[in-house]
Amino acid sequence: MTDEPRAWIGRTSEAEDIATASAVERLAALLDYERPPWSEGVVPPLGHWLYFLPAVRQSALAIDGHTRPGEFLPPTRLPRRMWAGGRIEFRHPIPIGAAIQRRSTLSDVRLKQGASGELMFVTVHHEIRVGARLALIEEQDLVFCERLTAARPLPSRAAADEPAIGAEPPVISRRAVALGPVELFRFSALTFNGHRIHYDRDYACREEGYPGLVVHGPYIALLLADQFLRSAAGASIARLNYRARSPLFERERFELCVQGGATRARLWALGPKGEQAMQAEIEPQGART
């Protein structure tokens, strides 16, 4: 692999959409809410993922269901794509029904050699505006890597200790979740995500070497943010940072944990063997003085 993908740094893409109420209603249905704990009349935290959906022609998709690299993302021969994490700053609410604009910039490409082979890390910077007002800033981290083989297995899923509590606030909220094929399919449909590892078990196991359908990284991040809102009545989110640590699979029982304080909350998804599948940190609105 050469450094040629780094020549794509600085590429931009722009999109427009309407923040429809119907998309938010479908999200509430997926989360099984009759009355969700969100502020009325505005898009809930991470609800912006329901908009700017890719209207890519079927013939432009790769075998895995994603848009082929080489359009906005740099070209690569690495076949597996994963959502590694991200950072989001919520500046202003997005009113339901508002016209919204997104400008995306390919801000970084890093090439590495890891224990599992070659890796390409890509960071995409998004800015979403409502008219002239900047509503949201987001950075998404993607990683492209080699296909799983016997010589290149999944990362170790040995149990990992929960974050040390020490003198910090105790865990204030904990909820067990297990997501089956229906939930994964509905999230894929809600976000128009064609990646076959989330709904095509034969492809996920035979072609990509997974033991079953893979839970979407953004779905786990959304569940963690939702657990924070369930546990902190009336709170809203100013900043969210999250990082995927290990994958979760269909029907696996995992726990959503919130450790809270007045100025910052730590969250994690605890996998079936005690491993941290995702770590996150939330700064509530008004927490800074």
Side-chain angles (χ1 to χ4, degrees):
M1 183 181 294
T2 68
D3 284 345
E4 182 183 356
R6 289 188 56 80
W8 288 57
I9 294 175
R11 288 200 173 218
T12 62
S13 175
E14 297 186 355
E16 298 181 351
D17 208 340
I18 302 294
T20 60
S22 59
V24 174
E25 290 167 359
R26 287 191 288 269
L27 175 62
L30 174 65
L31 297 176
D32 205 28
Y33 278 124
E34 183 175 353
R35 298 188 64 179
W38 309 326
S39 299
E40 293 187 9
V42 297
V43 175
L46 302 184
H48 67 284
W49 286 343
L50 310 181
Y51 306 110
F52 309 107
L53 305 183
V56 179
R57 292 177 57 193
Q58 196 69 21
S59 58
L61 299 179
I63 190 172
D64 65 356
H66 267 308
T67 306
R68 292 190 186 96
E71 294 294 328
F72 174 67
L73 298 177
T76 178
R77 66 172 186 78
L78 298 172
R80 293 178 58 234
R81 170 179 170 175
M82 296 179 292
W83 191 305
R87 297 153 298 283
I88 307 174
E89 181 180 350
F90 301 92
R91 292 281 188 92
H92 293 283
I94 298 175
I96 296 293
I100 49 180
Q101 306 84 38
R102 185 183 71 183
R103 180 177 176 84
S104 305
T105 303
L106 189 58
S107 60
D108 194 21
V109 179
R110 291 171 289 128
L111 309 172
K112 292 187 177 182
Q113 187 73 30
S116 58
E118 292 179 304
L119 302 167
M120 182 173 78
F121 293 89
V122 177
T123 300
V124 181
H125 178 92
H126 299 289
E127 294 187 355
I128 296 179
R129 296 179 182 272
V130 179
R133 171 172 283 186
L134 180 60
L136 183 151
I137 299 173
E138 176 176 20
E139 287 190 331
Q140 296 175 352
D141 298 326
L142 308 174
V143 59
F144 293 82
C145 55
E146 302 276 5
R147 200 174 299 280
L148 294 175
T149 65
R152 203 179 285 118
L154 278 169
S156 171
R157 294 179 55 129
D161 293 335
E162 296 178 11
I165 294 177
E168 297 181 18
V171 175
I172 60 172
S173 177
R174 198 176 199 126
R175 179 166 61 101
V177 177
L179 303 175
V182 175
E183 291 94 336
L184 300 185
F185 174 80
R186 292 183 85 189
F187 187 80
S188 289
L190 189 61
T191 56
F192 205 51
N193 183 343
H195 200 181
R196 291 169 66 182
I197 63 172
H198 304 303
Y199 60 86
D200 185 340
R201 187 179 296 109
D202 183 67
Y203 173 84
C205 298
R206 182 175 302 179
E207 298 297 328
E208 299 223 11
Y210 291 115
L213 297 178
V214 182
V215 179
H216 315 64
Y219 197 172
I220 302 170
L222 189 148
L223 288 172
L224 285 172
D226 177 63
Q227 188 64 20
F228 168 78
L229 294 174
R230 288 171 184 252
S231 63
S236 56
I237 299 174
R239 291 172 180 80
L240 167 66
N241 298 339
Y242 63 97
R243 179 187 176 196
R245 296 288 302 274
S246 63
L248 292 170
F249 301 99
E250 58 177 318
R251 298 193 175 96
E252 286 188 335
R253 182 182 181 277
F254 62 97
E255 290 189 301
L256 305 167
C257 306
V258 180
Q259 182 188 59
T263 60
R264 196 169 300 274
R266 296 170 64 183
L267 308 92
W268 60 96
L270 198 64
K273 295 183 180 179
E275 77 281 6
Q276 287 185 30
M278 181 172 286
Q279 294 177 330
E281 190 172 72
I282 284 176
E283 180 184 309
Q285 292 282 359
R288 292 189 174 186
T289 57

PDB file of all heavy atoms in Angstrom, residues 185-210:
ATOM      1  N   PHE A 185     -32.072  -5.109  11.205  1.00  0.00           N
ATOM      2  CA  PHE A 185     -32.612  -4.749   9.896  1.00  0.00           C
ATOM      3  C   PHE A 185     -33.308  -3.392   9.949  1.00  0.00           C
ATOM      4  O   PHE A 185     -33.146  -2.563   9.045  1.00  0.00           O
ATOM      5  CB  PHE A 185     -33.593  -5.818   9.411  1.00  0.00           C
ATOM      6  CG  PHE A 185     -34.282  -5.437   8.130  1.00  0.00           C
ATOM      7  CD1 PHE A 185     -33.645  -5.598   6.910  1.00  0.00           C
ATOM      8  CD2 PHE A 185     -35.549  -4.877   8.144  1.00  0.00           C
ATOM      9  CE1 PHE A 185     -34.267  -5.217   5.728  1.00  0.00           C
ATOM     10  CE2 PHE A 185     -36.180  -4.491   6.968  1.00  0.00           C
ATOM     11  CZ  PHE A 185     -35.538  -4.673   5.756  1.00  0.00           C
ATOM     12  N   ARG A 186     -34.073  -3.147  11.024  1.00  0.00           N
ATOM     13  CA  ARG A 186     -34.801  -1.877  11.107  1.00  0.00           C
ATOM     14  C   ARG A 186     -33.839  -0.703  11.222  1.00  0.00           C
ATOM     15  O   ARG A 186     -34.097   0.374  10.653  1.00  0.00           O
ATOM     16  CB  ARG A 186     -35.771  -1.899  12.291  1.00  0.00           C
ATOM     17  CG  ARG A 186     -36.926  -2.865  12.124  1.00  0.00           C
ATOM     18  CD  ARG A 186     -37.896  -2.790  13.281  1.00  0.00           C
ATOM     19  NE  ARG A 186     -38.870  -1.719  13.093  1.00  0.00           N
ATOM     20  CZ  ARG A 186     -39.722  -1.332  14.038  1.00  0.00           C
ATOM     21  NH1 ARG A 186     -39.682  -1.880  15.240  1.00  0.00           N
ATOM     22  NH2 ARG A 186     -40.594  -0.370  13.797  1.00  0.00           N
ATOM     23  N   PHE A 187     -32.731  -0.865  11.957  1.00  0.00           N
ATOM     24  CA  PHE A 187     -31.765   0.232  12.035  1.00  0.00           C
ATOM     25  C   PHE A 187     -31.105   0.449  10.681  1.00  0.00           C
ATOM     26  O   PHE A 187     -30.889   1.594  10.262  1.00  0.00           O
ATOM     27  CB  PHE A 187     -30.704  -0.051  13.097  1.00  0.00           C
ATOM     28  CG  PHE A 187     -29.793   1.124  13.339  1.00  0.00           C
ATOM     29  CD1 PHE A 187     -30.187   2.179  14.139  1.00  0.00           C
ATOM     30  CD2 PHE A 187     -28.537   1.180  12.741  1.00  0.00           C
ATOM     31  CE1 PHE A 187     -29.360   3.285  14.344  1.00  0.00           C
ATOM     32  CE2 PHE A 187     -27.696   2.266  12.941  1.00  0.00           C
ATOM     33  CZ  PHE A 187     -28.109   3.327  13.747  1.00  0.00           C
ATOM     34  N   SER A 188     -30.784  -0.642   9.977  1.00  0.00           N
ATOM     35  CA  SER A 188     -30.226  -0.507   8.628  1.00  0.00           C
ATOM     36  C   SER A 188     -31.192   0.243   7.721  1.00  0.00           C
ATOM     37  O   SER A 188     -30.791   1.115   6.936  1.00  0.00           O
ATOM     38  CB  SER A 188     -29.920  -1.886   8.028  1.00  0.00           C
ATOM     39  OG  SER A 188     -28.816  -2.495   8.656  1.00  0.00           O
ATOM     40  N   ALA A 189     -32.487  -0.095   7.812  1.00  0.00           N
ATOM     41  CA  ALA A 189     -33.484   0.567   6.980  1.00  0.00           C
ATOM     42  C   ALA A 189     -33.635   2.032   7.360  1.00  0.00           C
ATOM     43  O   ALA A 189     -33.755   2.912   6.493  1.00  0.00           O
ATOM     44  CB  ALA A 189     -34.825  -0.163   7.100  1.00  0.00           C
ATOM     45  N   LEU A 190     -33.605   2.316   8.665  1.00  0.00           N
ATOM     46  CA  LEU A 190     -33.786   3.683   9.155  1.00  0.00           C
ATOM     47  C   LEU A 190     -32.670   4.594   8.668  1.00  0.00           C
ATOM     48  O   LEU A 190     -32.891   5.777   8.380  1.00  0.00           O
ATOM     49  CB  LEU A 190     -33.826   3.655  10.680  1.00  0.00           C
ATOM     50  CG  LEU A 190     -34.207   4.923  11.431  1.00  0.00           C
ATOM     51  CD1 LEU A 190     -35.615   5.367  11.048  1.00  0.00           C
ATOM     52  CD2 LEU A 190     -34.121   4.693  12.928  1.00  0.00           C
ATOM     53  N   THR A 191     -31.451   4.058   8.564  1.00  0.00           N
ATOM     54  CA  THR A 191     -30.293   4.848   8.147  1.00  0.00           C
ATOM     55  C   THR A 191     -29.879   4.562   6.703  1.00  0.00           C
ATOM     56  O   THR A 191     -28.851   5.055   6.247  1.00  0.00           O
ATOM     57  CB  THR A 191     -29.103   4.568   9.084  1.00  0.00           C
ATOM     58  OG1 THR A 191     -28.834   3.161   9.111  1.00  0.00           O
ATOM     59  CG2 THR A 191     -29.411   5.043  10.499  1.00  0.00           C
ATOM     60  N   PHE A 192     -30.664   3.764   6.000  1.00  0.00           N
ATOM     61  CA  PHE A 192     -30.397   3.378   4.603  1.00  0.00           C
ATOM     62  C   PHE A 192     -28.974   2.834   4.458  1.00  0.00           C
ATOM     63  O   PHE A 192     -28.222   3.188   3.558  1.00  0.00           O
ATOM     64  CB  PHE A 192     -30.626   4.550   3.657  1.00  0.00           C
ATOM     65  CG  PHE A 192     -30.960   4.133   2.250  1.00  0.00           C
ATOM     66  CD1 PHE A 192     -31.953   3.214   2.002  1.00  0.00           C
ATOM     67  CD2 PHE A 192     -30.273   4.674   1.169  1.00  0.00           C
ATOM     68  CE1 PHE A 192     -32.263   2.827   0.706  1.00  0.00           C
ATOM     69  CE2 PHE A 192     -30.574   4.293  -0.133  1.00  0.00           C
ATOM     70  CZ  PHE A 192     -31.577   3.377  -0.367  1.00  0.00           C
ATOM     71  N   ASN A 193     -28.614   1.961   5.409  1.00  0.00           N
ATOM     72  CA  ASN A 193     -27.274   1.372   5.457  1.00  0.00           C
ATOM     73  C   ASN A 193     -27.328   0.009   4.767  1.00  0.00           C
ATOM     74  O   ASN A 193     -27.939  -0.928   5.277  1.00  0.00           O
ATOM     75  CB  ASN A 193     -26.837   1.225   6.918  1.00  0.00           C
ATOM     76  CG  ASN A 193     -25.426   0.679   7.062  1.00  0.00           C
ATOM     77  OD1 ASN A 193     -24.849   0.122   6.134  1.00  0.00           O
ATOM     78  ND2 ASN A 193     -24.861   0.822   8.240  1.00  0.00           N
ATOM     79  N   GLY A 194     -26.683  -0.105   3.612  1.00  0.00           N
ATOM     80  CA  GLY A 194     -26.720  -1.340   2.852  1.00  0.00           C
ATOM     81  C   GLY A 194     -25.661  -2.355   3.221  1.00  0.00           C
ATOM     82  O   GLY A 194     -25.565  -3.411   2.573  1.00  0.00           O
ATOM     83  N   HIS A 195     -24.833  -2.079   4.243  1.00  0.00           N
ATOM     84  CA  HIS A 195     -23.732  -2.978   4.588  1.00  0.00           C
ATOM     85  C   HIS A 195     -24.295  -4.342   4.984  1.00  0.00           C
ATOM     86  O   HIS A 195     -25.029  -4.475   5.973  1.00  0.00           O
ATOM     87  CB  HIS A 195     -22.908  -2.373   5.720  1.00  0.00           C
ATOM     88  CG  HIS A 195     -21.540  -2.957   5.827  1.00  0.00           C
ATOM     89  ND1 HIS A 195     -20.644  -2.559   6.793  1.00  0.00           N
ATOM     90  CD2 HIS A 195     -20.905  -3.914   5.098  1.00  0.00           C
ATOM     91  CE1 HIS A 195     -19.510  -3.242   6.639  1.00  0.00           C
ATOM     92  NE2 HIS A 195     -19.655  -4.063   5.635  1.00  0.00           N
ATOM     93  N   ARG A 196     -23.917  -5.373   4.249  1.00  0.00           N
ATOM     94  CA  ARG A 196     -24.560  -6.681   4.378  1.00  0.00           C
ATOM     95  C   ARG A 196     -24.225  -7.403   5.686  1.00  0.00           C
ATOM     96  O   ARG A 196     -24.929  -8.336   6.071  1.00  0.00           O
ATOM     97  CB  ARG A 196     -24.165  -7.553   3.182  1.00  0.00           C
ATOM     98  CG  ARG A 196     -24.776  -7.065   1.887  1.00  0.00           C
ATOM     99  CD  ARG A 196     -24.177  -7.748   0.679  1.00  0.00           C
ATOM    100  NE  ARG A 196     -24.491  -9.174   0.642  1.00  0.00           N
ATOM    101  CZ  ARG A 196     -24.045  -9.988  -0.305  1.00  0.00           C
ATOM    102  NH1 ARG A 196     -23.251  -9.511  -1.275  1.00  0.00           N
ATOM    103  NH2 ARG A 196     -24.372 -11.269  -0.286  1.00  0.00           N
ATOM    104  N   ILE A 197     -23.183  -6.972   6.389  1.00  0.00           N
ATOM    105  CA  ILE A 197     -22.830  -7.657   7.636  1.00  0.00           C
ATOM    106  C   ILE A 197     -23.910  -7.481   8.706  1.00  0.00           C
ATOM    107  O   ILE A 197     -23.926  -8.204   9.691  1.00  0.00           O
ATOM    108  CB  ILE A 197     -21.474  -7.175   8.194  1.00  0.00           C
ATOM    109  CG1 ILE A 197     -21.513  -5.687   8.557  1.00  0.00           C
ATOM    110  CG2 ILE A 197     -20.350  -7.479   7.215  1.00  0.00           C
ATOM    111  CD1 ILE A 197     -20.262  -5.207   9.278  1.00  0.00           C
ATOM    112  N   HIS A 198     -24.843  -6.535   8.484  1.00  0.00           N
ATOM    113  CA  HIS A 198     -25.864  -6.248   9.492  1.00  0.00           C
ATOM    114  C   HIS A 198     -27.184  -6.984   9.239  1.00  0.00           C
ATOM    115  O   HIS A 198     -28.030  -7.017  10.134  1.00  0.00           O
ATOM    116  CB  HIS A 198     -26.126  -4.746   9.559  1.00  0.00           C
ATOM    117  CG  HIS A 198     -24.905  -3.928   9.828  1.00  0.00           C
ATOM    118  ND1 HIS A 198     -24.105  -4.119  10.937  1.00  0.00           N
ATOM    119  CD2 HIS A 198     -24.340  -2.911   9.124  1.00  0.00           C
ATOM    120  CE1 HIS A 198     -23.097  -3.253  10.898  1.00  0.00           C
ATOM    121  NE2 HIS A 198     -23.210  -2.513   9.819  1.00  0.00           N
ATOM    122  N   TYR A 199     -27.381  -7.557   8.044  1.00  0.00           N
ATOM    123  CA  TYR A 199     -28.662  -8.216   7.768  1.00  0.00           C
ATOM    124  C   TYR A 199     -28.530  -9.497   6.939  1.00  0.00           C
ATOM    125  O   TYR A 199     -29.480 -10.266   6.847  1.00  0.00           O
ATOM    126  CB  TYR A 199     -29.625  -7.257   7.055  1.00  0.00           C
ATOM    127  CG  TYR A 199     -29.115  -6.745   5.726  1.00  0.00           C
ATOM    128  CD1 TYR A 199     -29.317  -7.467   4.550  1.00  0.00           C
ATOM    129  CD2 TYR A 199     -28.432  -5.543   5.630  1.00  0.00           C
ATOM    130  CE1 TYR A 199     -28.837  -7.005   3.334  1.00  0.00           C
ATOM    131  CE2 TYR A 199     -27.949  -5.073   4.430  1.00  0.00           C
ATOM    132  CZ  TYR A 199     -28.161  -5.816   3.282  1.00  0.00           C
ATOM    133  OH  TYR A 199     -27.669  -5.357   2.079  1.00  0.00           O
ATOM    134  N   ASP A 200     -27.381  -9.736   6.340  1.00  0.00           N
ATOM    135  CA  ASP A 200     -27.170 -10.916   5.498  1.00  0.00           C
ATOM    136  C   ASP A 200     -26.214 -11.856   6.235  1.00  0.00           C
ATOM    137  O   ASP A 200     -24.992 -11.742   6.116  1.00  0.00           O
ATOM    138  CB  ASP A 200     -26.593 -10.478   4.141  1.00  0.00           C
ATOM    139  CG  ASP A 200     -26.448 -11.622   3.151  1.00  0.00           C
ATOM    140  OD1 ASP A 200     -26.430 -12.792   3.578  1.00  0.00           O
ATOM    141  OD2 ASP A 200     -26.341 -11.340   1.936  1.00  0.00           O
ATOM    142  N   ARG A 201     -26.782 -12.794   7.006  1.00  0.00           N
ATOM    143  CA  ARG A 201     -25.946 -13.655   7.854  1.00  0.00           C
ATOM    144  C   ARG A 201     -24.988 -14.507   7.032  1.00  0.00           C
ATOM    145  O   ARG A 201     -23.835 -14.714   7.404  1.00  0.00           O
ATOM    146  CB  ARG A 201     -26.822 -14.534   8.740  1.00  0.00           C
ATOM    147  CG  ARG A 201     -26.036 -15.346   9.770  1.00  0.00           C
ATOM    148  CD  ARG A 201     -26.939 -16.188  10.637  1.00  0.00           C
ATOM    149  NE  ARG A 201     -27.828 -15.367  11.440  1.00  0.00           N
ATOM    150  CZ  ARG A 201     -29.144 -15.263  11.221  1.00  0.00           C
ATOM    151  NH1 ARG A 201     -29.696 -15.931  10.220  1.00  0.00           N
ATOM    152  NH2 ARG A 201     -29.885 -14.494  11.984  1.00  0.00           N
ATOM    153  N   ASP A 202     -25.453 -15.020   5.905  1.00  0.00           N
ATOM    154  CA  ASP A 202     -24.589 -15.862   5.076  1.00  0.00           C
ATOM    155  C   ASP A 202     -23.370 -15.078   4.605  1.00  0.00           C
ATOM    156  O   ASP A 202     -22.239 -15.564   4.670  1.00  0.00           O
ATOM    157  CB  ASP A 202     -25.373 -16.392   3.873  1.00  0.00           C
ATOM    158  CG  ASP A 202     -24.540 -17.327   3.012  1.00  0.00           C
ATOM    159  OD1 ASP A 202     -24.190 -18.417   3.497  1.00  0.00           O
ATOM    160  OD2 ASP A 202     -24.231 -16.958   1.865  1.00  0.00           O
ATOM    161  N   TYR A 203     -23.593 -13.840   4.174  1.00  0.00           N
ATOM    162  CA  TYR A 203     -22.470 -13.004   3.740  1.00  0.00           C
ATOM    163  C   TYR A 203     -21.554 -12.679   4.912  1.00  0.00           C
ATOM    164  O   TYR A 203     -20.323 -12.780   4.801  1.00  0.00           O
ATOM    165  CB  TYR A 203     -22.972 -11.706   3.104  1.00  0.00           C
ATOM    166  CG  TYR A 203     -21.856 -10.745   2.787  1.00  0.00           C
ATOM    167  CD1 TYR A 203     -21.136 -10.852   1.603  1.00  0.00           C
ATOM    168  CD2 TYR A 203     -21.480  -9.750   3.689  1.00  0.00           C
ATOM    169  CE1 TYR A 203     -20.081  -9.994   1.322  1.00  0.00           C
ATOM    170  CE2 TYR A 203     -20.425  -8.887   3.422  1.00  0.00           C
ATOM    171  CZ  TYR A 203     -19.730  -9.020   2.235  1.00  0.00           C
ATOM    172  OH  TYR A 203     -18.669  -8.188   1.980  1.00  0.00           O
ATOM    173  N   ALA A 204     -22.125 -12.280   6.048  1.00  0.00           N
ATOM    174  CA  ALA A 204     -21.317 -11.889   7.204  1.00  0.00           C
ATOM    175  C   ALA A 204     -20.411 -13.027   7.657  1.00  0.00           C
ATOM    176  O   ALA A 204     -19.238 -12.804   7.991  1.00  0.00           O
ATOM    177  CB  ALA A 204     -22.218 -11.443   8.353  1.00  0.00           C
ATOM    178  N   CYS A 205     -20.938 -14.248   7.658  1.00  0.00           N
ATOM    179  CA  CYS A 205     -20.160 -15.400   8.144  1.00  0.00           C
ATOM    180  C   CYS A 205     -19.223 -15.948   7.077  1.00  0.00           C
ATOM    181  O   CYS A 205     -18.034 -16.175   7.331  1.00  0.00           O
ATOM    182  CB  CYS A 205     -21.101 -16.500   8.630  1.00  0.00           C
ATOM    183  SG  CYS A 205     -22.163 -16.017  10.014  1.00  0.00           S
ATOM    184  N   ARG A 206     -19.749 -16.149   5.879  1.00  0.00           N
ATOM    185  CA  ARG A 206     -18.960 -16.819   4.841  1.00  0.00           C
ATOM    186  C   ARG A 206     -17.932 -15.892   4.196  1.00  0.00           C
ATOM    187  O   ARG A 206     -16.790 -16.294   3.965  1.00  0.00           O
ATOM    188  CB  ARG A 206     -19.892 -17.387   3.766  1.00  0.00           C
ATOM    189  CG  ARG A 206     -19.177 -18.157   2.666  1.00  0.00           C
ATOM    190  CD  ARG A 206     -20.149 -18.785   1.697  1.00  0.00           C
ATOM    191  NE  ARG A 206     -21.069 -19.696   2.389  1.00  0.00           N
ATOM    192  CZ  ARG A 206     -22.043 -20.359   1.766  1.00  0.00           C
ATOM    193  NH1 ARG A 206     -22.235 -20.200   0.460  1.00  0.00           N
ATOM    194  NH2 ARG A 206     -22.829 -21.169   2.452  1.00  0.00           N
ATOM    195  N   GLU A 207     -18.319 -14.660   3.919  1.00  0.00           N
ATOM    196  CA  GLU A 207     -17.425 -13.755   3.190  1.00  0.00           C
ATOM    197  C   GLU A 207     -16.536 -12.923   4.107  1.00  0.00           C
ATOM    198  O   GLU A 207     -15.399 -12.620   3.751  1.00  0.00           O
ATOM    199  CB  GLU A 207     -18.245 -12.827   2.281  1.00  0.00           C
ATOM    200  CG  GLU A 207     -19.040 -13.548   1.216  1.00  0.00           C
ATOM    201  CD  GLU A 207     -18.151 -14.282   0.232  1.00  0.00           C
ATOM    202  OE1 GLU A 207     -17.027 -13.799  -0.042  1.00  0.00           O
ATOM    203  OE2 GLU A 207     -18.573 -15.349  -0.266  1.00  0.00           O
ATOM    204  N   GLU A 208     -17.050 -12.532   5.277  1.00  0.00           N
ATOM    205  CA  GLU A 208     -16.261 -11.642   6.140  1.00  0.00           C
ATOM    206  C   GLU A 208     -15.770 -12.318   7.413  1.00  0.00           C
ATOM    207  O   GLU A 208     -15.043 -11.711   8.193  1.00  0.00           O
ATOM    208  CB  GLU A 208     -17.071 -10.383   6.468  1.00  0.00           C
ATOM    209  CG  GLU A 208     -17.445  -9.580   5.222  1.00  0.00           C
ATOM    210  CD  GLU A 208     -17.259  -8.087   5.389  1.00  0.00           C
ATOM    211  OE1 GLU A 208     -16.653  -7.666   6.388  1.00  0.00           O
ATOM    212  OE2 GLU A 208     -17.713  -7.331   4.508  1.00  0.00           O
ATOM    213  N   GLY A 209     -16.167 -13.559   7.646  1.00  0.00           N
ATOM    214  CA  GLY A 209     -15.600 -14.335   8.740  1.00  0.00           C
ATOM    215  C   GLY A 209     -16.143 -14.049  10.109  1.00  0.00           C
ATOM    216  O   GLY A 209     -15.550 -14.454  11.113  1.00  0.00           O
ATOM    217  N   TYR A 210     -17.283 -13.359  10.211  1.00  0.00           N
ATOM    218  CA  TYR A 210     -17.879 -13.077  11.506  1.00  0.00           C
ATOM    219  C   TYR A 210     -18.699 -14.276  11.991  1.00  0.00           C
ATOM    220  O   TYR A 210     -19.168 -15.079  11.178  1.00  0.00           O
ATOM    221  CB  TYR A 210     -18.788 -11.850  11.416  1.00  0.00           C
ATOM    222  CG  TYR A 210     -18.064 -10.551  11.198  1.00  0.00           C
ATOM    223  CD1 TYR A 210     -18.231  -9.820  10.025  1.00  0.00           C
ATOM    224  CD2 TYR A 210     -17.231 -10.029  12.182  1.00  0.00           C
ATOM    225  CE1 TYR A 210     -17.576  -8.605   9.830  1.00  0.00           C
ATOM    226  CE2 TYR A 210     -16.573  -8.816  11.991  1.00  0.00           C
ATOM    227  CZ  TYR A 210     -16.750  -8.121  10.815  1.00  0.00           C
ATOM    228  OH  TYR A 210     -16.106  -6.921  10.623  1.00  0.00           O
TER     229      TYR A 210
END
